[in-house]
Amino acid sequence: MQLTKITYAQIKGATVSVLDYGADPTGVADSTAAITSALAAVVASGAPGVVTVPAGTYKCTSTITVDVSMVRLVGQYATLSFATAAASIVAIQVTSSTTATIFNQSPSGIEGLVLVGPNTGTASVAIDFDATAPYNIAYSSFENIAIFNFYNGLTFHDNVYLVSFSGMNIRVDGACLTDFTGLTNAGERMAFVNSTFSGAQYALICENPNSTWEFANCSFDCALVEIYVRGGATISCTNCHFEYYGNALDADWNTSSNPSVNFFGCRFIQRDLQSSIPNFYCKTGTRLTIIGGQIDTFAATTTNISMASTAKLTYINAIRDTSGGTVDTLNDCSSVYIPLLNSGDNTVINYGSTINGVISRSFNATISAGGTTTVTTQSFVYGIVMIAIGATVDTVGQVKGLYLATGSNSVTTVTAIANVTVTVVSTTGVITVTNSTGQNMIGTGFITSAPG
């Protein structure tokens, strides 16, 4: 019996292969039209569907548009090669054509592809995201995509938000991720996990003040600047690895909004050890938080953290390798909280002329009952001094063993608790701690100073 050939559009919701539309997996013939036709067939059917790209290399010479309100493009060990395309090629244009499924686009997106660019010029883009109102690119996911030989990796425009990325491997010359200024309805919770950004001048350029970028378990490798942010975006990195030739962060305000950048448990390595370039360069209004993790800097004159006068810094228990010495230049930072820098850290901290916050220096001390120890810090800021040796926290969150001395530049008046006397000998940072009676006190403490 002779079978009747039917088209994809006659079977709504069926999976279609680009091979059915004449794509060439050997990479000889141009497959752009075939891939475009397969995608268009799904859209024309009126029902969301999947387009597969079987294993092979497919030559592409012009932009391929993927409507993520209707399609998920799935590669099966497939490479889309734009090596012979124009130097200004946008390889894949992600867009949207319907509002009906705006809150149900999670099955949509792209996965399992290698995108190879023309490796020339300064204008090529691997994937661009842009939608025209009332349509939106949202709730879509992009997984296991490798991008090479483009100048730019992913670029983001209007009506793009709540997009998830996993297993991305982006190695380009210009910027791995670019989030432009002046966008509409864009930037909410852009999330990356288990991804790598390497070889570029910038890993992330963020100029959209409304954006929230989240990175978890990602690697930022060998960029000149890893994160470049202008304006009020919020950027959070958790358990990420940073290696860079210039800055891990270059942040500044933009017209009226201030950026907030947060690092939790991250590792930082400055490879070029340029003394004039700080690891963290925080300009006007920047809010920087570093909690845990490790910062490796080995050049003797390398600036670790440079803060403008209107910037704010929170630095908690992050370990720094100071085998060559580092300098923290806080430049009159308006609010600083740095408890428990690693003990034995002899790095000079230049506080600036005024600190309207809290500065801490760590030290080790053992004080027997009735004994005395002297603690010397690199510098001393007038005001309140707190010493905690062997401090513990009980079940209701109260700190035990916290002692307070008050006064101005020369502190001699002491309020002692639990048989400990604290005396500031001079403003050079020499502090004497006396355990007059009671238990033996052993542990790492910290010295905290702020205006009185």
Side-chain angles (χ1 to χ4, degrees), residues 293-372:
Q294 181 163 328
I295 305 169
D296 295 346
T297 50
F298 305 101
T301 58
T302 298
T303 299
N304 187 18
I305 304 173
S306 178
M307 306 291 292
S309 61
T310 56
K312 297 181 183 297
L313 170 66
T314 300
Y315 188 116
I316 301 178
N317 209 27
I319 300 172
R320 293 180 299 165
D321 188 323
T322 58
S323 56
T326 63
V327 178
D328 289 336
T329 305
L330 301 182
N331 295 332
D332 302 340
C333 183
S334 62
S335 180
V336 181
Y337 179 51
I338 315 181
L340 238 64
L341 298 180
N342 55 299
S343 58
D345 181 355
N346 292 318
T347 300
V348 174
I349 295 184
N350 298 321
Y351 296 117
S353 60
T354 304
I355 296 295
N356 297 317
V358 180
I359 295 291
S360 299
R361 291 289 297 161
S362 65
F363 65 91
N364 289 324
T366 300
I367 310 176
S368 302
T372 298

Side-chain angles (χ1 to χ4, degrees), residues 97-309:
S97 66
T98 177
T99 59
T101 57
I102 183 60
F103 296 107
N104 190 29
Q105 290 184 14
S106 56
S108 71
I110 301 173
E111 65 176 276
L113 290 176
V114 177
L115 305 180
V116 179
N119 199 29
T120 185
T122 59
S124 61
V125 177
I127 305 177
D128 180 70
F129 296 78
D130 196 3
T132 302
Y135 309 126
N136 303 273
I137 299 169
Y139 305 94
S140 295
S141 63
F142 295 77
E143 305 170 14
N144 302 321
I145 301 172
I147 294 172
F148 302 99
N149 293 344
F150 289 88
Y151 191 78
N152 296 296
L154 312 183
T155 55
F156 299 88
H157 292 89
D158 293 336
N159 302 303
V160 183
Y161 56 91
L162 293 173
V163 182
S164 300
F165 299 86
S166 176
M168 304 293 292
N169 182 7
I170 304 175
R171 185 174 182 84
V172 296
D173 294 329
C176 294
L177 309 171
T178 303
D179 193 25
F180 296 99
T181 187
L183 301 184
T184 300
N185 191 31
E188 178 185 350
R189 211 282 284 139
M190 307 295 287
F192 286 80
V193 298
N194 303 325
S195 297
T196 300
F197 316 98
S198 60
Q201 295 182 47
Y202 302 92
L204 169 64
I205 296 176
C206 179
E207 296 181 318
N208 177 18
N210 299 313
S211 287
T212 301
W213 290 83
E214 299 174 2
F215 298 91
N217 306 320
C218 292
S219 184
F220 296 74
D221 288 332
C222 301
L224 179 63
V225 177
E226 296 295 5
I227 295 177
Y228 176 94
V229 56
R230 293 295 183 269
T234 299
I235 300 171
S236 298
C237 303
T238 303
N239 298 331
C240 292
H241 179 93
F242 291 83
E243 290 188 47
Y244 42 94
Y245 289 101
N247 314 107
L249 172 67
D250 184 335
D252 201 353
W253 79 314
N254 185 1
T255 63
S256 62
S257 58
N258 302 314
S260 176
V261 184
N262 311 292
F263 298 104
F264 308 103
C266 296
R267 178 74 177 268
F268 301 91
I269 302 172
Q270 189 185 59
R271 296 171 64 96
D272 208 21
L273 305 181
Q274 300 181 55
S275 60
S276 61
I277 300 179
N279 286 276
F280 305 92
Y281 194 13
C282 299
K283 301 170 186 175
T284 304
T286 302
R287 274 66 170 165
L288 172 62
T289 299
I290 303 174
I291 298 178
Q294 181 163 328
I295 305 169
D296 295 346
T297 50
F298 305 101
T301 58
T302 298
T303 299
N304 187 18
I305 304 173
S306 178
M307 306 291 292
S309 61

